Amino acid sequence: MSNGTDRPAALVQSVDRAVTVLEILARRGDAGVTEIAAELGVHKSTASRLVGALEARGLVEQLSGRGKYRLGLGMVRLAGAAAARIDLPGAAGHVCARVAGELGETVNVAVLDDDQTVNVCQALGPSAVNSYNWVGRRTPSHATSSGKVLLAYAPAEVRRAALAGPLTAYTPRTITDPGVLARQLSEAERAGWASTVEELEIGLHAVAAPVRGAGGRVVAAISVAGPSYRLPERMFAERAARLREAAAEIGGSLGNPG
C-alpha cells in the first residue's frame, strides 16, 4: 500500500489534467471522451472520470445525443467574476471622479486580495488634503472601511481566516479584538456599509459600500475618505447613501441590474 507521500503529486496531476480538458474544449468547441483521452495521452476511463468531475461542477456539459462535451455555464460564472475585476477600473473611473467632485474628498474602489485590500481606482476631490496615490497599494482589511465591507460579504472561510488574526494595531483606535470586528462585519452586512474612525491613520475617517457584479456577488467596495473634521461620524450614513448609489451605477456597468 502507498504510504501517502505520492498523493499530493497525484492530486496535482489530476488538477493539471482537468485544466487541460477545459483548454481542449475551449480550443475545439466540443470533443468526445475518446478524443480528450487521446490529447491527454491517458486511458479513456481516466478521461471519463475527469470529464465527469467537471460536469458535476457545471464546468462542462454533454451535448444531447452526441456523446460529446463542451464548456458549461459554470465557466461563464467564473469568467464573469474574473471579468468584473478586469473591467472594474474602467467601469468605476468616471463614477469615482463624479462622486469625488460632489463630496470634495478622495474616493477609492478596492478589491479583496487574500487578507489585504487593494485599491484599483482613485479620484481626488477638490478638498483633498493631499494627492497621495493609493492605486495598487495593499492595505489591512480590518483597518479600512473598504476592507470591512469586503470581509463582511466574503465567503465564510475568508472571513474566519481574517478574524483569526493577528489584527495589527495601526493607531490606538484600530480594532484588534476579533469579537468586536466580527460584530462590525455583521453590522456592515446588515446595513450595507462600513466605516473606520482613525483606525488606519490618526485624523482619517472613511466610509465604504459594496459594489455588486454579475449575479449580485460583491466584487469590490467604493469608499470616501477624509479628515475627521470634514467627515465626522454624524455624516457617515449620508455619505454611505451616496456611495451605495454610486456602487449601483458601477455594478450596472459590470452586469448587475441592481
Side-chain angles (χ1 to χ4, degrees), residues 15-256:
V15 171
D16 184 68
R17 286 173 172 172
V19 172
T20 303
V21 170
L22 297 176
E23 292 175 340
I24 290 169
L25 295 179
R27 184 178 71 251
R28 298 180 60 144
D30 60 61
V33 171
T34 300
E35 298 166 295
I36 293 171
E39 285 215 35
L40 288 176
V42 299
H43 193 275
K44 185 177 177 180
S45 61
T46 300
S48 182
R49 286 196 297 271
L50 289 169
V51 171
L54 293 170
E55 184 178 20
R57 301 302 294 268
L59 299 177
V60 305
E61 60 186 18
Q62 190 170 24
L63 296 173
S64 178
R66 294 180 56 191
K68 293 196 173 189
Y69 291 85
R70 66 183 177 189
L71 295 179
L73 293 178
M75 293 297 296
V76 177
R77 172 176 52 82
L78 296 178
R85 284 198 169 199
I86 294 169
D87 296 342
L88 189 57
H94 68 286
V95 178
C96 282
R98 187 168 68 251
V99 176
E102 293 174 11
L103 302 183
E105 306 292 356
T106 300
V107 174
N108 279 286
V109 170
V111 298
L112 196 62
D113 185 19
D114 293 328
D115 61 343
Q116 298 278 298
T117 299
V118 179
N119 293 285
V120 298
C121 180
Q122 174 179 292
L124 298 176
S127 302
V129 174
N130 60 57
S131 58
Y132 184 82
N133 185 5
W134 290 81
V135 175
R137 179 178 173 182
R138 293 166 63 86
T139 54
S141 296
H142 71 283
T144 61
S145 60
S146 290
K148 288 182 183 181
V149 163
L150 293 168
L151 288 177
Y153 292 93
E157 61 272 17
V158 174
R159 193 162 166 170
R160 281 196 299 270
L163 291 171
L167 302 175
T168 302
Y170 295 90
T171 76
R173 304 196 69 170
T174 304
I175 305 301
T176 57
D177 184 326
V180 174
L181 181 59
R183 289 193 292 273
Q184 288 194 354
L185 297 183
S186 295
E187 174 59 22
E189 187 176 16
R190 185 198 65 78
W193 60 276
S195 63
T196 50
V197 177
E198 298 186 310
E199 294 168 42
L200 182 63
E201 295 180 9
I202 292 295
L204 181 69
H205 287 182
V207 182
V211 175
R212 297 180 183 274
R217 189 176 68 87
V218 173
V219 297
I222 181 171
S223 66
V224 59
S228 56
Y229 63 87
R230 277 208 311 264
L231 186 58
E233 292 181 63
R234 59 181 170 79
M235 295 176 61
F236 283 2
E238 175 189 328
R239 292 294 185 256
R242 180 64 186 94
L243 290 175
R244 291 179 71 177
E245 292 175 356
E249 187 176 350
I250 296 169
S253 299
L254 297 175
N256 179 35

